[in-house]
């Protein structure tokens, strides 16, 4: 059985990763349509590109805090790689967001594999087995 606190952290880690993915997708769409990153920032209620990057960084920090409670070493290494991508050169926004999106996809795939492997170890006990003796 999965403890409530771990389930909560899994849920929010997924949400934070999803937010980063959405921002990357919106940014790439804006770039491909001739708009700047500032347009994406304004669309989600931020002032400019710097605030957008800071929002991504803050979201990533929340993600990392939640994922530390349940992920294995392989995933943590990928999370550190994503942090490197967030802090990488932003002079070519299209390339920046493509690399960031690929990093998010990599972590997402690893998390799916992690839960498939762990799921086989989880056994839901019957109500009788959960009763105190």
């Amino acid at each position: 059985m999965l403890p409530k606190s771990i389930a909560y952290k899994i849920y929010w880690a997924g949400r934070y990763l999803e937010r980063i993915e959405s921002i990357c997708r919106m940014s790439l769409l804006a770039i491909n349509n001739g708009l700047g990153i500032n347009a994406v920032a304004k669309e989600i209620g931020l002032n400019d590109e710097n605030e957008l990057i800071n929002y991504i960084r803050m979201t990533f920090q929340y993600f990392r805090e939640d994922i530390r409670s349940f992920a294995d070493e392989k995933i943590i290494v990928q999370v550190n790689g994503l942090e490197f991508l967030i802090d990488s050169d932003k002079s070519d926004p299209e390339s920046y967001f493509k690399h960031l999106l690929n990093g998010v996809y990599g972590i997402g795939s690893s998390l799916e594999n992690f839960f498939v492997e762990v799921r086989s170890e989880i056994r839901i006990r019957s109500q009788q087995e959960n009763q105190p003796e």
Side-chain angles (χ1 to χ4, degrees):
M1 194 79 141
L2 190 64
K4 178 181 170 186
S5 60
I6 297 297
Y8 179 84
K9 290 184 183 280
I10 291 169
Y11 171 79
W12 280 105
R15 293 281 302 176
Y16 293 134
L17 195 61
E18 191 175 67
R19 286 180 190 175
I20 296 170
E21 178 186 354
S22 294
I23 289 172
C24 291
R25 288 176 173 275
M26 287 189 310
S27 298
L28 288 170
L29 185 63
I31 291 167
N32 289 334
N33 286 316
L35 300 172
I37 303 303
N38 288 334
V40 175
K42 293 200 184 314
E43 186 66 32
I44 62 173
L46 302 171
N47 291 326
D48 58 13
E49 181 179 344
N50 291 332
E51 281 191 19
L52 182 69
I53 299 301
N54 286 334
Y55 179 78
I56 291 171
R57 191 173 289 118
M58 179 190 66
T59 302
F60 170 78
Q61 289 170 354
Y62 292 144
F63 167 73
R64 182 176 50 202
E65 285 303 312
D66 284 337
I67 206 159
R68 282 182 177 163
S69 61
F70 64 86
D72 62 5
E73 186 177 337
K74 177 184 171 192
I75 294 173
I76 297 299
V77 167
Q78 285 184 300
V79 169
N80 292 338
L82 183 61
E83 182 176 26
F84 176 76
L85 290 173
I86 290 171
D87 293 333
S88 66
D89 182 33
K90 297 162 190 64
S91 60
D92 179 9
E94 184 175 8
S95 176
Y96 173 76
F97 285 108
K98 280 183 181 178
H99 289 302
L100 197 55
L101 190 58
N102 286 333
V104 168
Y105 287 158
I107 291 174
S109 292
S110 293
L111 284 171
E112 286 179 18
N113 292 336
F114 173 76
F115 285 113
V116 166
E117 292 168 9
V118 170
R119 187 182 67 186
S120 64
E121 298 170 9
I122 297 174
R123 185 176 74 83
I124 298 175
R125 297 181 298 187
S126 69
Q127 191 170 14
Q128 289 82 14
E129 290 177 310
N130 286 331
Q131 298 300 319
E133 294 180 19

